[in-house]
Amino acid sequence: MHNLLEKQFNAYKTFDTDSYLSDFGLAVHPDYRRRRIGTEMLKTRTKLLKDLEFKATISHFIGIASQHLAIKANYDESYEMS
């Protein structure tokens, strides 16, 4: 999936950068869901991004719940596949 996304979406060009922080989604153990843990994890990632001086971060979300959490954490949707 990552390779397919890289072919269709050029993050380097889109964000005018030579590096970015990347991950493959978000998971919270079912026993701990609905406690804002996922949202806080994404917000912490944003802080890490700034601390490490990256211009952009890319996350691959395949679940609608993760997508909603990303919106709550002020992530922008730059590319979507169906």
Side-chain angles (χ1 to χ4, degrees):
M1 181 61 89
H2 176 71
N3 292 338
L4 178 62
L5 285 170
E6 273 191 339
K7 289 177 185 175
Q8 295 188 19
F9 177 75
N10 186 332
Y12 298 105
K13 185 176 179 182
T14 300
F15 301 114
D16 189 29
T17 187
D18 61 357
S19 63
Y20 62 87
L21 192 60
S22 179
D23 73 12
F24 294 99
L26 174 68
V28 175
H29 189 281
D31 292 347
Y32 297 97
R33 292 183 182 157
R34 300 196 183 281
R35 298 181 187 188
R36 300 185 46 88
I37 294 170
T39 303
E40 291 305 314
M41 287 170 64
L42 292 174
K43 287 181 179 179
T44 299
R45 182 178 178 79
T46 302
K47 292 175 187 173
L48 179 64
L49 175 81
K50 291 178 184 176
D51 289 346
L52 297 175
E53 298 180 0
F54 281 96
K55 189 174 182 179
T57 183
I58 305 291
S59 296
H60 303 154
F61 298 114
I62 59 170
I64 193 68
S66 295
Q67 292 170 346
H68 287 297
L69 290 177
I71 291 168
K72 286 182 183 179
N74 295 317
Y75 276 54
D76 293 324
E77 184 179 288
S78 299
Y79 184 78
E80 180 179 348
M81 286 179 62
S82 54

